[in-house]
Amino acid sequence: MKDKIRFNYEGNFIELPIFEGVEGEKAIDIRRLRNATGLVTYDPGYKNTGSCKSSITYLDGEAGILRYRGYSIEDLCENCSFIEVIHLLIFGHIPSKKEKEIFLSEIREKSLVDEDLKGILKSFPKTAHPMCILASLTAGLVAFTPKLGSYEDIEQMRPSIIKMLAAFPILASWTHRKSRGLPLNYANNSLTYVGNIAHMMFRRPHMDYKPNPIEVKALNKLLILHADHEQNCSSSTVRIVGSSHADLFPCIAAGLSALWGKLHGGANQAVIEMLEKISVQGNDIQKFIDRAKDKNDPFRLMGFGHRVYKNYDPRAKILKNIAKEVLGQVSNRDPILDIAIELEQRALEDDYFKSRKLYPNVDFYSGLIYRAMDIPTRMFTVMFALGRLPGWISQWLEMRQNNEPIGRPRQIYVGPKRQDIK
Ligand code: CMC
């Protein structure tokens, strides 16, 4: 540790170490700060705060680079299946053929959930948002697997991880089937992990189901693209909830709740709603761009901007091509796609967006693809969650394996001084 930061505070010189990540990003280690000075740091939204050391995902927002365990997102999308990426994120390497078979058979073995969960599902109104149902069922799963939950090492964590990977697509598909009034399905274990997600969501009881290969290929890429994104809002939530040594399942339920918001995973639903509004209101794209620029109007261009990317989001680049491919096979071109393309072009040429480095993010095109697959708009964030599940699990596992302390930030109190009841 060669570099240090040295500063004078109230006549005392304080030295804090600077350390470097493997890609050259540098951080001041402030762990001694409060003891040495009485000071804490203030950083709303954690814009300058590294909450952990992690070896899962690397992203360079300026250069538009995203890698899982060192592999570029482009390479993974082109050459891997989602199940291989799940294994890569959670266990650190792409599985061999044999490892993949074992991994899949462990998941298949556990791909049943207690039928009583159907009772919980049934008690929700049909109008309930699928994310609220999914978060409840996911947290509730722990009640049906009481043997799991005490973790000393990875071997004890593995059964919970496998159960989560097996049960989550079932519960996700049930939220969809409930909203469509369809009977609840289980997996068909002769299919791949992604083929099964499609099967569980789309199969009709009165017909054979043959997955559409273009859609399954697109779904595979979509899930890979969403699989992890380092310390985003929902993954940080999973880590912080898990740092209290809560069970994996409620941690994932907490991640789901964080993802639901429209500034995070809920943006994919908000993008389509925005594009539909533009269409209904006569395609006046400029009006929406002007509203997004107006500081007196809370409206933001959904699917634009990112905390870390100050360049084109590499995931959005891949998604734009998938959108063209999937929408190309649908006989009637979705007019919303044309609005999206024009909106993107106008925003990219506009000084407001250029000067703030606001580019389309992952949510800008994903909804168009889901829409072409006949997935209802309210299910889009559930689709994001299906992709993000391995990211949440790997972040939780890393946090537990590193024995990280309980997450508990400080605050700067600005409320009333001491006062007495008169
Ligand atoms: N439309 C209009 N202006 C924007 C937008 C937008 N979508 N995004 C940021 N800005 C402006 C913002 O008003 C601010 O302007 P100024 O400097 O004049 O005050 C500047 O750009 C910086 O924005 P910020 O709010 O400080 O940036 P942030 O890092 O806190 O927020 C964000 C990031 C993603 C929440 C934000 O860009 C946003 O609200 N985007 C729309 C919602 C969205 O698409 N979310 C999905 C994010 S990617 C996937 C995921 O995480 O799930």
Side-chain angles (χ1 to χ4, degrees), residues 47 226 229 232-234 259 261-268 270-271 289 291-295 299-310 313 315 352-353 356-359 361-364 384 388:
K47 292 191 177 192
H226 286 86
H229 214 230
N232 57 85
C233 177
S234 55
L259 185 74
K262 70 173 180 185
L263 298 189
H264 191 10
N268 54 16
V271 169
I289 292 190
R291 280 190 62 196
K293 289 158 57 174
D294 180 355
K295 293 289 168 205
F299 174 76
R300 285 188 161 197
L301 216 51
M302 299 317 290
F304 258 77
H306 197 275
R307 169 62 57 80
V308 184
Y309 290 120
K310 302 301 166 200
D313 181 336
R315 303 168 300 172
Y352 174 95
F353 293 90
R356 289 169 180 75
K357 299 187 176 159
L358 300 171
Y359 293 86
N361 58 47
V362 69
D363 294 312
F364 193 71
F384 190 148
R388 185 55 53 89

Side-chain angles (χ1 to χ4, degrees), residues 220-244:
N220 193 62
K221 289 189 183 180
L222 270 159
L223 296 167
I224 292 174
L225 285 170
H226 286 86
D228 194 45
H229 214 230
E230 49 118 301
Q231 303 315 314
N232 57 85
C233 177
S234 55
S235 300
S236 301
T237 301
V238 168
R239 279 184 99 117
I240 204 162
V241 175
S243 75
S244 74

